[in-house]
Amino acid sequence: MNPHRPITILGIETSCDETSAAIVRAKLGNSPQVLADVTLSQIAEHQPFGGVVPEIAARAHSAHLDRLIAQALHDAQLGLGDIDAIAATAGPGLIGGVIVGLATAKALAYGLNRPLIAVNHLEGHALTARLCDDVAFPYLLLLVSGGHCQILAVEGVGQYRRLGTTIDDAVGEAFDKAAKLMDLGYPGGPEIERWAAAGDPTRFALPRPMVGRPNFDFSFSGLKTALRQLVEANLPLSRKDCADLAAGFQTAIGDCLADRMQRAMEHFNERYDLQPDDRRLVIAGGVAANKYLRSRLGEIAENKNYRLISPPGKWCTDNAVMIAWAGIERFSLGLVDPLTTRARARWPLDQDAPAIAHNRAQMMALGQTKQI
Ligand code: KG4
Ligand code: ZN
């Protein structure tokens, strides 16, 4: 690869309920450019069911993806011949949707005679901060999404060491379930954030599971049960009840994340001998779009001499820019994949991960959840 020539990559994301295509260009020594970023959310189609329906998602991806790719090329004022490689999410996720995106990427790669890059969706979330900001390896990552809640040490592209994870619900899942309990709408995270803004977080007492424990793990199911009991004891809920419960719930989550991340930063300092100026805490994944949580984590990062970095909200929730960027990172290292690469419903980022579902989409694919 010629380091003086820019690399232009088309990214495709179809692992859950956003159909997305993006084009990112990077050249050694220059800031990367997002030339196109097109996302079609399927929220309205899934809303009546209170969660993502895999069949509907897969059909919607196949109905819209071609048009979105054409739109991305149009926005970037490029032709297919200008694309150096095609990057697509190859998992983890709802398998029908992943197959649609990966098969489209393979067809383009084959037809254009360009390399395919099969991207792990979680790696997309994990590396986005390096597109937006000056973040060198290693860094500490809090990955908080609809189905995963993990603390990882990111040592390099493809090199992840997991410090902690949730032992039950993922944090985004907890937000979604909490909103469902109060009938606030789907997806729950943004709704809880909106209601919490007008609420009193001290009115209702809610637990802080795992706080103070000598590990880096999370647990949110007890918090959800406590919320359910409060909801049931206060029916019918007034608007004020909803706002106060949402604020109490969001604050409890903030306390849990802050406690776990404080410990993680102390551990990270011991393990990686970084100068204070080089310490970075990155938050990524859909829940990282929450402004209250960002500001809570910003405070504890500052106390520990870390810089908090979080991509803009639109690149925290699922999007193809993160997949195109992960594609650039991998392509720059010569990491490309054969056209025989398979779509994967499960695909943990770290090799040591137990064989459990790691993301909302996966759990749904496995039929283990989504009765929210
Ligand atoms: O990363 P993402 O788009 O999809 C997955 O890979 O899971 O994350 C979606 C999750 C949902 O659970 C949604 O409720 C949550 O992120 N979320 C939020 C906010 N925006 C999205 N949670 C809390 N506050 C938000 N503002
Ligand atoms: Zn995601």
Side-chain angles (χ1 to χ4, degrees), residues 15-18 121 125 144-148 171-173 175-176 187-190 193 250 285-291 293 316-318 359-361:
S15 68
C16 196
D17 56 350
E18 328 276 352
H121 177 85
H125 280 304
V144 273
S145 188
H148 35 92
V171 63
E173 189 185 0
F175 269 103
D176 292 336
E193 182 174 13
Q250 184 176 257
V287 179
N290 185 297
K291 293 196 183 67
L293 296 178
C316 283
T317 46
D318 290 348
N359 122 343
R360 172 173 60 133

Side-chain angles (χ1 to χ4, degrees), residues 166-295:
T166 177
I167 58 169
D168 42 55
D169 293 350
V171 63
E173 189 185 0
F175 269 103
D176 292 336
K177 287 178 175 171
K180 175 115 178 170
L181 281 173
M182 293 185 274
D183 218 3
L184 301 183
Y186 175 84
E191 293 301 328
I192 296 269
E193 182 174 13
R194 204 163 56 79
W195 280 85
D200 170 6
T202 60
R203 181 173 152 210
F204 293 106
L206 283 159
R208 269 68 175 156
M210 306 301 271
V211 164
R213 292 278 180 96
N215 58 26
F216 307 101
D217 289 336
F218 300 92
S219 166
F220 297 106
S221 76
L223 179 57
K224 179 192 65 196
T225 305
L227 181 77
R228 171 180 292 126
Q229 286 164 351
L230 285 173
V231 167
E232 285 166 1
N234 287 278
L235 284 174
L237 297 181
S238 66
R239 290 181 69 81
K240 175 152 173 45
D241 294 337
C242 288
D244 292 347
L245 285 165
F249 182 81
Q250 184 176 257
T251 306
I253 298 238
D255 287 347
C256 296
L257 297 184
D259 176 79
R260 310 285 68 201
M261 290 319 295
Q262 240 154 328
R263 279 186 61 78
M265 283 185 275
E266 284 158 16
H267 170 85
F268 197 80
N269 288 347
E270 281 165 24
R271 172 141 187 156
Y272 303 91
D273 191 20
L274 294 179
Q275 296 300 315
D277 276 358
D278 297 331
R279 293 175 189 158
R280 303 278 185 272
L281 167 60
V282 170
I283 47 170
V287 179
N290 185 297
K291 293 196 183 67
Y292 167 79
L293 296 178
R294 281 179 193 238
S295 96

Side-chain angles (χ1 to χ4, degrees), residues 134-180:
D134 168 28
V135 186
F137 299 119
Y139 56 90
L140 188 61
L141 172 71
L142 173 63
L143 185 49
V144 273
S145 188
H148 35 92
C149 183
Q150 301 177 18
I151 306 176
L152 295 147
V154 182
E155 297 176 340
V157 174
Q159 292 168 34
Y160 302 89
R161 211 168 51 79
R162 199 181 60 182
L163 307 184
T165 188
T166 177
I167 58 169
D168 42 55
D169 293 350
V171 63
E173 189 185 0
F175 269 103
D176 292 336
K177 287 178 175 171
K180 175 115 178 170

Side-chain angles (χ1 to χ4, degrees), residues 78-101:
L78 295 177
L80 276 173
D82 300 312
I83 302 295
D84 293 308
I86 325 289
T89 297
L94 290 173
I95 196 66
V98 177
I99 288 172
V100 170

